[in-house]
Amino acid sequence: MTTKTKQLMYGTHAAGEAAIQAGCTCYFGYPITPQNELPEYMSRRLPEVGGIFIQAESELASINMVLGASVAGARAMTSSSSPGISLKQEGISFMAGMELPAVIVNIMRGGPGLGNIAPAQSDYFQATRGGGHGDYRTPVLAPASVQELADLTFLAFDLADQYRNPVLILGDGMLGQLMEPVVIPVRKKNEALPEKDYILTGAKDRPARLVKSLILDVKEMEDHNWKLHRKYQRIEQNETRWESYRMEDAEMAVIAYGTAARIARGAINRLRKEDENVRIGLIRPITLWPFPAKALRDAVKKTGDFFVFELSAGQMVEDVRLALEGRGKIHFYGRPGGVVPTPAELARSMARHYYQSKRSRKK
Amino acid sequence: MKKVYSRPKSLRNVSMHYCPGCGHSIIHRLIAELLDEMNLQDQAICVPPAGCAVLAYNYIDIDMVEAPHGRATAVATGVKRVRPDNLVFSYQGDGDLAAIGTAEALHAANRGEHITVIFVNNAVYGMTGGQMAPTSLIGQKTTTSPHGRTVANEGPPIRVCELMAQLGGPSYLERVSVSSPAGVRKTKAAIKKAFEYQIKKSGFSLVEILSPCPTNWKMDAMASCAWIDEVMAKEFPLGVIKEVQC
Ligand SMILES: Cc1ncc(C[n+]2csc(CCOP(=O)(O)OP(=O)(O)O)c2C)c(N)n1
């Protein structure tokens, strides 16, 4: 596999190759559509680079194999789709408590329950609120193209090691199955990363190490929680990422991430082309946690009108409301259940809202 | 005078939280003795369970990583695959291994992972207060089988060694008990053999240890040991259940 050159790849394959280039040597997973091409890719590629691939007996087993590989010092990942990610939550909570790095890819599908295998964004709450039990957070990266999926997978391993924390990549069935030209990032050793002085290698010439999440003393447990909290604050300060598109003159800002953001881009371009007086832009969160609240608060100074579009019945819209703290007008358009509207469909809904707002603004 | 008995180097000099008569403390000591004798203290990595032995890391002085309840063999798999030259063993109770963690245990065994499982069968959930375990005996009264376990309601007890022996993966499965000095010696020999299997990279090894829980059995220590020999060992026959030459 040559990197650096542009090649046509599936999203899932690009994520797998980027992980390998990032130094991931362990993949553990369990089949579930629409992400099977990722474990399939890893089962071929990892042995070629001396890595470890296990098709585990369940998502519970695979996340705990990740935990074991991580505490042994390896860069380890797992992937799944919505129902499987639910099963991984206990393990993710343990790793957050133990401060162990890991990368977890969720290629979301329609839910709840078994739902369907069509692209959806219905796991936003689960991903951005910790997901499992306890007071913790995990960075959530939301790519909108195959290239970005590769880039963010690469980044996820550095973030996980830098902060000693699990990192989630939140994609959807569309992104996973899409083929696009992509340049896979090539590994350079990141010298800035802290040394892994916690990993288990056997207590040779040093005191025995212990990695655990059980802290029976409540005061100690509180201290640990505050320590984690301060880490999450550092992540909020340093790692919030978003992209603005055609926002310079925007009277209305569309807020969307991932596949929804791509559709929104298409809809915006369409409307701007049809009517040159249309002033609609896009703010696309790239990190869902930390959420780019500041970008929205800055935008509200210029545009009071927000159009939130998600492939769900409305989850990120709550973060938009929290960010704006009552300012601005928020309109929500959602398509849950695996429905992916075309840019033309979305443009109709956006246009209706935009022109109505414009009329009332004029009055 | 020659010193014939002392605290193993691998056992920390602290008092244990275990109840009087509990088998966990004996088993911890045996492991520590073996780590010393086999010179493994600086390469051993243990995965303790959720269960009474969760605090094993306070006692056995080696690298440890806690596992979620039941997932010890999956965690041990991850550790061992990354560090094939370390001695990796899990330490699990019957609830941990034979109820919530059955899938992980059977599949690690079937993959023939080069790990060792120390499986402590005390026929109850000790840590949570004496509830019924998958290994509780028919008729055994526990806090969640107050009238005694029945086949009709809970099914018969699960024999883990015999179940695993059906799989192609495991190399060494033995059931022992710490209910008598002779049993303690046999237990030590079995754990030693299991570690040797692992060191030779000869596949999955598990030692099931029948172990007293006087507190939850509501018996004194002597009666608990007698109950193991007279009742428990009938349901769970002692001896080597499977051995593939290594
Ligand atoms: C997911 C989950 N469910 C339940 C528990 C509570 N719990 C802790 S230990 C345990 C069972 C302990 O019994 P066993 O494995 O037989 O070990 P023992 O304490 O008897 O040594 C249970 C149910 C838990 N920690 N995690």
Side-chain angles (χ1 to χ4, degrees), chain A residues 26 28 52-54 57-58 60-61 64-65 67-69 71-72 74 90-91 94 98 199-204 206-214 216, chain B residues 12 41-46 54-55 57-58 61-69 71 74-75 77-79 81-83 86 103-105 107-108 111 113:
Chain A
C26 296
F28 310 104
I52 296 154
F53 171 90
I54 300 180
E57 57 273 24
S58 71
L60 290 170
N64 284 290
M65 288 175 187
L67 190 161
V71 82
E90 183 197 37
F94 268 67
M98 295 166 148
I199 61 171
L200 304 189
T201 55
K204 201 179 184 75
R206 59 158 173 79
R209 285 175 182 162
L210 169 60
V211 178
K212 61 167 185 151
S213 61
L214 179 77
L216 289 170
Chain B
R12 289 207 171 97
Q41 188 187 8
D42 63 0
Q43 38 172 301
I45 300 174
C46 172
V54 66
L55 297 178
Y57 47 72
N58 286 343
D61 193 12
I62 54 172
D63 277 8
M64 293 218 193
V65 55
E66 209 171 68
H69 189 26
R71 317 295 164 218
V75 172
T77 295
V79 174
R81 291 283 185 118
V82 174
R83 305 217 157 264
N86 285 86
E104 285 78 3
H107 283 270
R111 285 192 304 268
E113 295 291 341

Side-chain angles (χ1 to χ4, degrees), chain B residues 16-27 120-122 177-180 184 209-226 228:
Chain B
M16 293 186 181
H17 73 286
Y18 296 115
C19 305
C22 170
H24 280 305
S25 43
I26 302 172
I27 299 162
V120 180
N121 177 357
N122 60 9
S177 101
V178 287
S179 54
S180 67
V184 170
I209 306 166
L210 307 187
S211 174
C213 181
T215 302
N216 287 304
W217 294 355
K218 304 194 171 27
M219 293 175 197
D220 65 27
M222 291 308 287
S224 298
C225 288
I228 290 181

Side-chain angles (χ1 to χ4, degrees), chain B:
Chain B
M1 224 188 340
K2 200 174 150 227
K3 197 171 175 186
V4 293
Y5 193 79
S6 60
R7 177 180 293 278
K9 192 163 65 67
S10 303
L11 201 62
R12 289 207 171 97
N13 190 7
V14 291
S15 52
M16 293 186 181
H17 73 286
Y18 296 115
C19 305
C22 170
H24 280 305
S25 43
I26 302 172
I27 299 162
H28 283 17
R29 188 192 156 94
L30 294 180
I31 292 170
E33 283 179 5
L34 285 167
L35 294 173
D36 284 9
E37 290 164 22
M38 300 173 77
N39 235 337
L40 294 168
Q41 188 187 8
D42 63 0
Q43 38 172 301
I45 300 174
C46 172
V47 188
C52 284
V54 66
L55 297 178
Y57 47 72
N58 286 343
Y59 312 129
I60 306 176
D61 193 12
I62 54 172
D63 277 8
M64 293 218 193
V65 55
E66 209 171 68
H69 189 26
R71 317 295 164 218
T73 49
V75 172
T77 295
V79 174
K80 182 72 184 186
R81 291 283 185 118
V82 174
R83 305 217 157 264
D85 296 326
N86 285 86
L87 179 89
V88 180
F89 66 98
S90 69
Y91 185 112
Q92 302 179 254
D94 40 58
D96 197 71
L97 185 142
I100 195 167
T102 315
E104 285 78 3
L106 289 184
H107 283 270
N110 196 52
R111 285 192 304 268
E113 295 291 341
H114 302 295
I115 58 170
T116 302
V117 176
I118 309 296
F119 170 41
V120 180
N121 177 357
N122 60 9
V124 282
Y125 283 29
M127 188 190 217
T128 39
Q131 294 84 9
M132 193 196 70
T135 50
S136 295
L137 303 189
I138 296 303
Q140 187 179 338
K141 288 189 173 137
T142 70
T143 55
T144 50
S145 58
H147 307 295
R149 179 175 185 157
T150 61
V151 173
N153 204 45
E154 292 95 6
I158 293 178
R159 297 194 189 106
V160 168
C161 283
E162 285 80 350
L163 189 60
M164 279 189 179
Q166 304 304 309
L167 304 172
S171 296
Y172 173 63
L173 305 167
E174 179 167 357
R175 187 181 289 118
V176 288
S177 101
V178 287
S179 54
S180 67
V184 170
R185 275 196 296 276
K186 275 191 191 145
T187 301
K188 186 172 170 181
I191 298 174
K192 182 173 184 182
K193 201 158 165 186
F195 284 170
E196 282 167 354
Y197 263 82
Q198 182 177 166
I199 290 163
K200 289 183 192 146
K201 299 202 164 49
S202 294
F204 182 88
S205 52
L206 174 142
V207 180
E208 174 173 350
I209 306 166
L210 307 187
S211 174
C213 181
T215 302
N216 287 304
W217 294 355
K218 304 194 171 27
M219 293 175 197
D220 65 27
M222 291 308 287
S224 298
C225 288
W227 191 74
I228 290 181
D229 293 342
E230 287 154 25
V231 184
M232 236 183 134
K234 299 240 156 61
E235 180 66 37
F236 302 106
L238 303 184
V240 175
I241 311 292
K242 183 176 181 192
E243 185 171 12
V244 176
Q245 286 314 317
C246 73

Side-chain angles (χ1 to χ4, degrees), chain A residues 8 46 118 145 181 202 228 244-245 266 271 333 362:
Chain A
L8 197 60
L46 269 171
S145 68
L228 293 177
S244 295
Y245 177 70
L271 290 176
Y333 178 70
K362 284 217 179 98

Side-chain angles (χ1 to χ4, degrees), chain A residues 10-17 34-35 37-38 41 107 149 175-177:
Chain A
Y10 285 111
T12 44
H13 291 183
E17 190 54 36
Q35 60 84 59
E37 296 77 7
L38 182 46
Y41 186 83
I107 301 293
L149 176 53
L175 191 64
Q177 313 263 319

Side-chain angles (χ1 to χ4, degrees), chain A residues 124 128-129 140-142 235-237 239-244 254-257 282-300 306 316 319-324:
Chain A
Y124 180 95
T128 57
R129 267 58 181 169
V140 183
L141 311 177
I235 295 174
E236 280 176 334
Q237 258 162 32
E239 308 300 343
T240 307
R241 290 168 165 81
W242 73 92
E243 181 192 54
S244 295
V254 179
I255 317 292
Y257 69 93
L282 169 72
I283 298 175
R284 177 174 73 89
I286 297 172
T287 52
L288 302 180
W289 187 86
F291 189 72
K294 194 177 161 295
L296 268 60
R297 281 197 289 274
D298 287 347
V300 78
F306 293 86
M316 179 183 67
D319 278 339
V320 174
R321 287 197 193 104
L322 284 170
L324 294 178

